[in-house]
Amino acid sequence: MAAKTPTEPSAAQVSVIVIGYNDAEHIADAVLSALRQGTQVAEVVAVDDASTDATPDVLRDLAERYARVRVVRREANSGGCGTPRNDGLRRATAPYVMFLDSDDVLETGAVGALFRAAVRHDARVVAGRCVRRELPGGRDVPWQRALFTREAAYGSPAELPRLVRDTVCVNKLYDRSFLDRHGIAFPDGPFRYEDFVFTARVLAAAPRIALIPDTVYIWHVRRSTGRPSISLARDDIDNWRSRLRAHRRALEIFEEAGQKKLTRAAEVKFLDDDLRLYARELGGRSPEYRAEWWRLAQEHLACLDEPALRAARAPARWIARVITAADRPRDLERLVELAGRPARLMPPYARVAGRPVWDADLPGVVLDGLDSKPLHRLPVTVEAEPRIAWRTRRARLRLAVRVYELYGRLAAAGPLTVDIELRHRDDGRLGLTRNAALNPDDDSWTAEVLLGLGDVAAAGGGRPRGVRAAGPDTWDVRVRVRCADSSSLYTAARATGPGLRRTAVPSRQYGLLLLQPYATVGRSLALRLAAGPSAATAVLHRRLRRLATRNTLNTRNRRRNRKRAAVR
């Protein structure tokens, strides 16, 4: 029989390095997802970072059942993810390596798809699509979607500087000899955002890199957990401090390697992504947090030059200029809305010497480009206030819509009508559309749109009374403003008003409808509708389960804190 070559799917060429700490509940799923990739996986190196729960027992059981599982047990916790990954790299024996976190999984066929692309393109690094799966709902949000629309290969990352935006290490296959040759490893110890530094070291070494559109990694986002991941635990100012530290180190790596294009791309990435991400959460932070966040942001922005600001998107560079110009936190509601996605620029709208500026007392913060950008690219604010309206014993949802002026740009275009669209959260399909005429109202335009709840339920596949109902549907409310000059803009409606609460209404067709208008994380309006008594009951049961889980986690945290206090 002929010897197998590395290009054959059954050739064991890949080591999957799984790291975990106190994650006995999920780590088996991670390891098994790697084993199920087939014989192409030579081994799964599971590194336990000195767990104090049942994680060692779970891994020991897996190693006894599967010969390809090798367990590395650290005697002391490292405080981060970098050290256990480095431990795994040192123990791995296959020509290629991948990384996997204990609470995530590899998609079926991921290793094969990545390895075949590595051979096909002679690439040292191959990256595939990663999706963030929101749990328990199961909604998938692609990570850096624009990078993975088609298969492509690049002789160097400098050919596609946007690669710096894909800072995660887990959706990639690495040629082990390439990492060894360039001495590439993770920062050791309690270093947050170690992926930023590792990815910078990889890209700075200028590997031939391939991208594939296949989904390879499922990143589980568990927001209700008692121990959120680093990327979710942003309410601590040390998280922001760590983010800035990791970004500065990435810039240093690119600069030391002479990678000017990657340096600039990383600067722009910080403005467009990191700065906006943290700025849009300032509304819920304490005054002490805001003051220190502002100081640290000013310090970091001082290192960026004007060309970097101009290369970023308008909302990001406007935010950066406000932070740089003001000696303390100010206009936080406006900054939060501008940092959101979609960006919204709230009033007041001031001009100084004919130029649009952030405010009259900050004349140096010019909102450059606002007078020249096409209408559809402007951060126009459209609000929608939901209320239940009764007519002849039938409940309808009334949306009071307000379109705000923006430095005279809308007045010049002449807003005429507004279309309200419901887009399904899971698949983006259009549920229904309603339109209405816009009426001038001082510096804004208003309209009222009525949505029949039965029509909304039917659009989501709701079933009549007596038939087992489907689960609740979630609809995002989108708005299209049409103007007299034939221009238009399309955006998400900003949720406002007191009507953001769950309401149960009777229905002739469905028996019962449970409606919940709510504001998303970005303050956009969404509608959750359960049609039929069984669907409504299921929603209430899930709500009760979430409350019970939250209470259990709070109790555990209180007990843990008492134990820590007793030890001290």
Side-chain angles (χ1 to χ4, degrees):
M1 181 180 294
K4 293 177 180 176
T5 67
T7 58
E8 294 178 6
S10 59
Q13 295 289 311
V14 180
S15 294
V16 179
I17 299 168
V18 182
I19 63 167
Y21 171 66
N22 283 357
D23 199 12
E25 183 179 0
H26 305 115
I27 197 167
D29 290 336
V31 171
L32 291 173
S33 78
L35 292 174
R36 293 186 186 116
Q37 299 295 314
T39 55
Q40 210 152 25
V41 173
E43 60 185 356
V44 178
V45 181
V47 184
D48 172 23
D49 199 7
S51 295
T52 57
D53 68 349
T55 297
D57 299 330
V58 173
L59 292 179
R60 184 165 49 250
D61 179 65
L62 288 168
E64 290 174 355
R65 291 165 56 197
Y66 302 99
R68 288 183 292 164
V69 176
R70 300 172 56 202
V71 178
V72 178
R73 164 78 174 170
R74 288 185 51 79
E75 294 303 319
N77 182 258
S78 68
C81 297
T83 297
R85 286 188 182 134
N86 289 337
D87 290 343
L89 270 174
R90 284 189 287 270
R91 299 296 184 90
T93 60
Y96 293 86
V97 295
M98 286 188 69
F99 301 102
L100 173 60
D101 290 347
S102 62
D103 53 349
D104 300 330
V105 293
L106 294 178
E107 180 65 290
T108 302
V111 171
L114 290 165
F115 178 69
R116 287 190 293 272
V119 174
R120 192 159 54 245
H121 298 289
D122 190 27
R124 306 283 74 79
V125 179
V126 183
R129 183 191 299 269
C130 169
V131 297
R132 290 165 56 97
R133 180 163 294 166
E134 301 276 352
L135 297 177
R139 179 186 178 223
D140 286 350
V141 180
W143 165 257
Q144 297 298 330
R145 182 199 307 264
L147 288 174
F148 303 102
T149 58
R150 62 183 180 85
E151 183 165 333
Y154 303 91
S156 164
E159 295 179 13
L160 187 66
R162 187 181 174 85
L163 286 168
V164 302
R165 294 176 180 262
D166 182 16
T167 52
V168 299
C169 69
V170 289
N171 62 331
K172 300 175 181 69
L173 179 74
Y174 303 91
D175 182 331
R176 174 62 185 276
S177 64
F178 163 76
L179 298 180
D180 291 343
R181 186 165 62 254
H182 293 278
I184 297 173
F186 292 88
D188 276 310
F191 192 106
R192 292 182 177 181
Y193 299 106
E194 74 292 333
D195 282 25
F196 286 29
V197 175
F198 180 83
T199 300
R201 288 171 176 166
V202 168
L203 298 179
R208 181 170 176 79
I209 187 168
L211 307 179
I212 61 174
D214 308 63
T215 297
V216 300
Y217 195 87
I218 308 300
W219 177 356
H220 288 145
V221 180
R222 296 178 172 89
R223 298 187 186 276
S224 60
T225 181
R227 186 167 59 92
S229 66
I230 289 173
S231 62
L232 295 179
R234 293 190 295 270
D235 55 348
D236 180 356
I237 193 62
D238 282 340
N239 187 287
W240 176 235
R241 192 176 284 111
S242 298
R243 188 93 164 201
L244 296 177
R245 175 191 179 193
H247 180 254
R248 280 195 296 268
R249 183 65 192 116
L251 291 179
E252 291 169 358
I253 290 168
F254 291 137
E255 290 170 353
E256 291 165 1
Q259 296 281 5
K260 294 182 179 180
K261 289 184 178 180
L262 299 183
T263 301
R264 175 65 78 220
E267 292 172 337
V268 173
K269 178 261 180 190
F270 169 78
L271 295 167
D272 283 340
D273 296 345
D274 305 66
L275 185 67
R276 289 181 68 178
L277 173 64
Y278 283 76
R280 65 174 173 256
E281 296 173 345
L282 287 176
R285 305 303 188 209
S286 68
E288 295 77 16
Y289 176 100
R290 293 169 181 170
E292 182 63 5
W293 184 93
W294 199 274
R295 186 190 69 79
L296 292 169
Q298 277 192 331
E299 183 181 274
H300 190 74
L301 290 170
C303 301
L304 305 184
D305 57 16
E306 181 62 21
L309 292 179
R310 289 192 173 277
R313 296 185 181 95
R317 68 173 177 267
W318 296 344
I319 293 168
R321 285 172 177 155
V322 173
I323 294 171
T324 301
D327 58 359
R328 62 184 181 278
R330 57 167 288 168
D331 304 330
L332 290 181
E333 183 178 7
R334 291 183 75 202
L335 284 173
V336 166
E337 291 293 340
L338 186 59
R341 299 187 187 278
R344 302 182 180 102
L345 184 53
M346 302 286 289
Y349 304 126
R351 286 184 180 269
V352 173
R355 299 185 304 175
V357 297
W358 180 258
D359 208 343
D361 65 342
L362 287 181
V365 182
V366 178
L367 305 183
D368 57 316
L370 194 144
D371 281 338
S372 58
K373 289 182 180 296
L375 189 66
H376 70 272
R377 293 183 58 191
L378 293 178
V380 174
T381 300
V382 181
E383 291 183 341
E385 178 180 347
R387 288 183 182 272
I388 296 295
W390 292 90
R391 184 175 180 182
T392 61
R393 293 187 296 179
R394 293 184 59 190
R396 292 190 292 179
L397 182 65
R398 182 180 66 189
L399 296 181
V401 179
R402 182 176 297 274
V403 181
Y404 282 90
E405 174 59 287
L406 187 66
Y407 291 88
R409 293 297 308 276
L410 265 73
L416 293 177
T417 61
V418 61
D419 298 339
I420 295 293
E421 294 181 1
L422 297 189
R423 291 281 177 181
H424 201 279
R425 173 67 59 82
D426 293 337
D427 54 22
R429 73 179 185 274
L430 179 63
L432 57 83
T433 303
R434 297 290 184 268
N435 57 63
L438 286 166
N439 303 303
D441 183 16
D442 294 331
D443 291 333
S444 60
W445 294 261
T446 62
E448 185 176 282
V449 179
L450 292 172
L451 304 176
L453 295 184
D455 296 336
V456 178
R463 303 177 187 181
R465 183 200 301 265
V467 178
R468 182 176 177 81
D473 289 289
T474 300
W475 302 94
D476 292 311
V477 180
R478 299 287 188 253
V479 181
R480 186 179 301 278
V481 178
R482 302 183 186 274
C483 301
D485 67 353
S486 299
S487 64
S488 66
L489 63 93
Y490 186 75
T491 187
R494 179 177 183 266
T496 186
L500 302 175
R501 60 180 181 270
R502 186 180 289 110
T503 304
V505 297
S507 168
R508 293 178 181 177
Q509 185 176 5
Y510 299 101
L512 180 68
L513 295 172
L514 189 63
L515 173 70
Q516 184 185 13
Y518 69 96
T520 67
V521 174
R523 291 297 302 171
S524 296
L525 179 61
L527 308 175
R528 186 176 291 120
L529 184 69
S534 60
T537 301
V539 170
L540 293 176
H541 283 170
R542 277 196 292 271
R543 173 66 173 169
L544 292 173
R545 285 198 299 270
R546 283 198 296 269
L547 289 174
T549 301
R550 187 178 304 165
N551 290 336
T552 301
L553 291 172
N554 289 338
T555 300
R556 289 177 182 173
N557 288 336
R558 286 194 294 270
R559 290 174 180 170
R560 187 181 300 116
N561 292 336
R562 285 198 296 267
K563 288 180 180 178
R564 288 174 179 172
V567 170
R568 294 193 187 101

